[in-house]
Amino acid sequence: MPKRAALLAAVALTLTACTSTPEKPTVAQGGEDFGKATQLSNGFGTTQKPGEFPRTVKHAMGETKLEKKPERVIVLDTGELDNVVALGIKPVGIAYTDGSPTMPSYIGEKGGTPENVGTTNNLNLEAITKLNPDLILGSQLRAEALYPKLSAIAPTVFSVRPGYVWKENFLLNAAALDRQADAAKMLEDYTNKAVETGAAIEKKLGVRPTVTALRFMPGRIRLYAKKSFIGTILVDAKIPQPSPSQVDDLAAEVSAEEIGKADADFVVYSTYGDPAKTAQASVLGGPLWSGLNAVKGGKAKPVQDETYFLGLGVLAANVVLDDLKKQLGA
């Protein structure tokens, strides 16, 4: 039996049908290395020339050798999904988030019909093995403890974490897929679009309005800040956030009684998962919410969680820019 086939068979025999990732927060806020993700990502990628295989890819868990250009790719989070689809690849397997367990509508048919391999917090290693992947893409934050088992199944490349380092993650994934030039061009186009979007909004409104990105989650309410996906988009478009959201972190957490901190010229808000499991209904139906200037002015708008907060890639970022123009009336 060939060495790889024997290894896959051994892995399949030793894995339970569903293996849970050791408990970690759905989104890691703060922490010792949170603000270092960009620095830690420096040097990730490959020194091989386009089209050159085998190639070695440096990433968050070390180095991974790819013998050939990957064709059967499994993605373990929404950022990796966005990245591979942007590069013209339909993954064979996917781990969805608990709060959004289906193909994002903004990706739709472009994502194909990948097999479900569990969720980001509860990977099914047997399902991953059966798909016979030749590349697994994920992050250290989500599945660090499972990396040895995943890399025994197929070459595995991990970013440090999802979120505000989405551009670095895109380039890392592209290095493994031999599509670095395509990714670089997409990021350049995105940057230009962000600048143009901010300018169009300012031209229409006469000012760059402040925008709060508010998210209701089970047990918490967040004002997303600079080191978040939506935060980076607002920064790139030079659209300011009000002071409560200007922390150098993922988000500022507030209570229902502190919802006044969400006030801005515009508020965009969404819910992670089932709204009934969050404080959304009580907050939106309460007097503090109705007293916000943005609400009184008709400038508090619901948005898609799957793009503004879960997209984590260039496709979602472009959708968010288009939607921001719409929501802000530009």
Side-chain angles (χ1 to χ4, degrees):
M1 181 182 292
K3 182 178 179 181
R4 175 173 170 77
L7 178 59
L8 288 173
V11 170
L13 287 172
T14 58
L15 297 179
T16 58
C18 195
T19 303
S20 298
T21 306
E23 185 173 345
K24 285 192 175 186
T26 302
V27 180
Q29 182 177 7
E32 181 180 353
D33 291 333
F34 177 81
K36 299 178 182 178
T38 301
Q39 177 184 344
L40 292 171
S41 300
N42 288 339
F44 286 0
T46 186
T47 58
Q48 263 76 45
K49 297 177 181 179
E52 184 179 354
F53 284 89
R55 68 174 47 200
T56 298
V57 179
K58 183 179 179 181
H59 57 97
M61 300 300 294
E63 294 184 348
T64 293
K65 187 176 182 180
L66 293 162
E67 296 292 342
K68 63 183 181 66
K69 190 170 183 175
E71 296 178 352
R72 296 184 59 80
V73 183
I74 289 178
V75 294
L76 304 183
D77 206 341
T78 54
E80 286 76 39
L81 171 64
D82 190 299
N83 292 344
V84 302
V85 173
L87 295 169
I89 295 169
K90 294 180 180 180
V92 297
I94 183 170
Y96 290 111
T97 67
D98 294 312
S100 187
T102 58
M103 182 66 67
S105 61
Y106 79 92
I107 289 182
E109 295 181 356
K110 296 191 296 292
T113 55
E115 295 290 329
N116 190 308
V117 296
T119 67
T120 54
N121 293 315
N122 192 18
L123 298 178
N124 186 329
L125 297 181
E126 184 179 25
I128 291 173
T129 302
K130 287 180 178 179
L131 286 171
N132 193 27
D134 50 23
L135 178 63
I136 299 171
L137 296 174
S139 71
Q140 184 179 23
L141 174 71
R142 300 294 197 207
E144 178 179 10
L146 292 179
Y147 179 79
K149 291 182 179 180
L150 291 167
S151 59
I153 298 170
T156 301
V157 172
F158 273 6
S159 64
V160 174
R161 59 164 296 118
Y164 75 97
V165 284
W166 62 274
K167 299 171 191 175
E168 289 85 353
N169 297 348
F170 189 28
L171 294 173
L172 172 62
N173 290 174
L177 295 165
D178 190 30
R179 287 171 166 82
Q180 301 99 302
D182 293 337
K185 180 61 166 62
M186 290 179 196
L187 289 176
E188 179 184 359
D189 291 345
Y190 155 78
T191 299
N192 292 335
K193 182 173 182 175
V195 172
E196 292 167 1
T197 298
I201 290 170
E202 182 176 13
K203 182 177 180 180
K204 180 69 175 182
L205 303 181
V207 67
R208 303 223 179 188
T210 57
V211 174
T212 288
L214 170 67
R215 194 186 197 196
F216 296 98
M217 303 176 69
R220 62 190 66 186
I221 303 171
R222 283 178 167 170
L223 313 179
Y224 276 70
K226 294 180 180 180
K227 281 188 166 60
S228 68
F229 176 61
I230 179 58
T232 64
I233 295 172
L234 292 172
V235 169
D236 290 340
K238 296 181 174 57
I239 297 173
Q241 294 178 273
S243 57
S245 299
Q246 289 182 6
V247 295
D248 192 31
D249 206 335
L250 171 72
E253 293 195 356
V254 297
S255 66
E257 293 73 27
E258 296 173 316
I259 202 64
K261 292 182 179 180
D263 208 2
D265 294 323
F266 286 84
V267 176
V268 292
Y269 64 90
S270 75
T271 306
Y272 177 77
D274 183 356
K277 296 181 180 179
T278 74
Q280 175 177 307
S282 60
V283 169
L284 299 188
L288 296 179
W289 177 259
S290 61
L292 298 183
N293 291 320
V295 175
K296 290 188 288 187
K299 297 177 179 179
K301 310 290 183 70
V303 295
Q304 292 294 317
D305 198 71
E306 66 180 14
T307 49
Y308 276 72
F309 299 96
L310 288 177
L312 304 179
V314 71
L315 296 180
N318 280 306
V319 172
V320 169
L321 287 174
D322 290 338
D323 194 63
L324 280 171
K325 285 182 69 174
K326 175 183 175 182
Q327 301 293 3
L328 275 58

